[in-house]
Amino acid sequence: MRVIFMGTPDFSVPVLDALVEAGHEIAAVYCQPPRPAGRGKKDRPTPVHARAEALGLTVRHPDSLKSAEEQDAFEALNADVSVVVAYGLILPQPILDAPKQGCLNIHASLLPRWRGAAPIHRAIMSGDAQTGICIMQMEAGLDTGPVLLREETDIGIEETTDQLHDRLSVMGANLIVEALRDLPNLTPEPQPEVGVTYAAKIDKAEARIDWSRTAVEVDRQIRGLSPFPGAWTEFEGARIKLLASRMAEGQGIPGQVLDDALTVACGEGAVDLLRLQRAGKGAQDKETFLRGLSIPAGSRLSAE
C-alpha cells in the first residue's frame, strides 16, 4: 500500500521500520519539527525524523496542518492510507479524509479506557492489570473512532512505563502490519459509551512523593513516572529520582528507611527502592547507588 506515516518520538520508530520491512511504499513521513536540545540548544531532529532520513524517506515537519497549502500537499501524495502513532498534531478533517482508506491510529491502551496523551503512564499509576494496543480509524474526536484490531497484554507487577512503552511499541508495529494486510476484511467496531477514561498529560507536579500515601500508591507512582519525569524524594536536602521499585514488608514512620537495602516505610506498608538517580549522575541500581551515597536504616526521606 502507499502509506503516509505520521509519528514523532521513539515509540513510533519501530512502527516505521515494520511498515518498510513489510514492503509498503512510504509516500512521506510527517513528524514534529526539530527542537533545540542539548547543552548547545541546537535544533535536533526527532527520532522519527532521524530514522526516516536514514531510510532515505521524504520527511515533512510542518508546524501545523491547518493551512490549505499543507492540506493540498498532503492530498497530492495520493496515499491509500495514513498510519498515525504519537504524531503530536491535531489532524484537521481534510487531512483525515485525504487518504483513500482514511487515517489509522495506533493507540497504546484498550480503548475506550485511557483516551488521550499519557495512556501508558496512567495505566500503571492506576494499577491496571492489563493494557494493550488498539488500531483505530481516526475521526475528529479525541481517540473516539471505531477500533479495527486490538491486542491485550498483562502489566508486570514491577514493570515501569519505560519497559511497557517498549513492549507496546513492538506490539503496535506488528499489529498495524496485520491490520493493513487484512484491511478489506476488518469490521470497525464502535467504542462503547461505558468505561471511558482520559489519560491527562503528565504534570511534573505529580512527581513529588508523599510518603504518607500507601505503599501501593507510591509503588505505582514510581513505576508509572519512570523514566520521565521521574518520581522524586529528598535526602539531606538533595533531590533523588526513584526509577524502579517493588512492594515490600515493613511498617514505620512514613519516609523512614527500614534497613540498609533501601526499604522505605509508607503510610501503609513499604516499598523496596531498586533504581535511583542523583542530580548530575546517571541512573543506578540500588547496590551501586549505595556505594556512592550511604542511606542507613533509620534515615528519613522527604519531599518537602
Side-chain angles (χ1 to χ4, degrees), residues 120-180:
I120 302 175
H121 299 78
R122 297 299 177 189
I124 291 179
M125 293 173 74
S126 296
D128 291 5
Q130 285 190 322
T131 187
I133 291 289
C134 283
I135 307 297
M136 179 192 69
Q137 187 81 50
M138 294 183 72
E139 57 184 32
L142 177 63
D143 299 328
T144 58
V147 174
L148 297 171
L149 278 179
R150 67 175 65 225
E151 183 178 349
E152 299 179 359
T153 186
D154 292 339
I155 299 175
I157 59 172
E158 295 181 17
E159 196 161 22
T160 65
T161 285
D162 192 34
Q163 293 165 335
L164 183 56
H165 166 283
D166 290 351
R167 286 206 299 116
L168 291 176
S169 178
V170 173
M171 284 176 57
N174 293 333
L175 202 60
I176 191 62
V177 170
E178 179 183 342
L180 294 183

Side-chain angles (χ1 to χ4, degrees), residues 77-89:
L77 290 169
N78 195 32
D80 296 310
V81 69
S82 179
V83 171
V84 185
V85 51
Y87 174 44
L89 285 182

Side-chain angles (χ1 to χ4, degrees), residues 4 30 60 67-78:
I4 298 172
Y30 279 73
R60 297 180 178 179
S67 72
E69 182 180 2
E70 285 293 346
Q71 293 169 12
D72 289 345
F74 187 91
E75 185 175 10
L77 290 169
N78 195 32

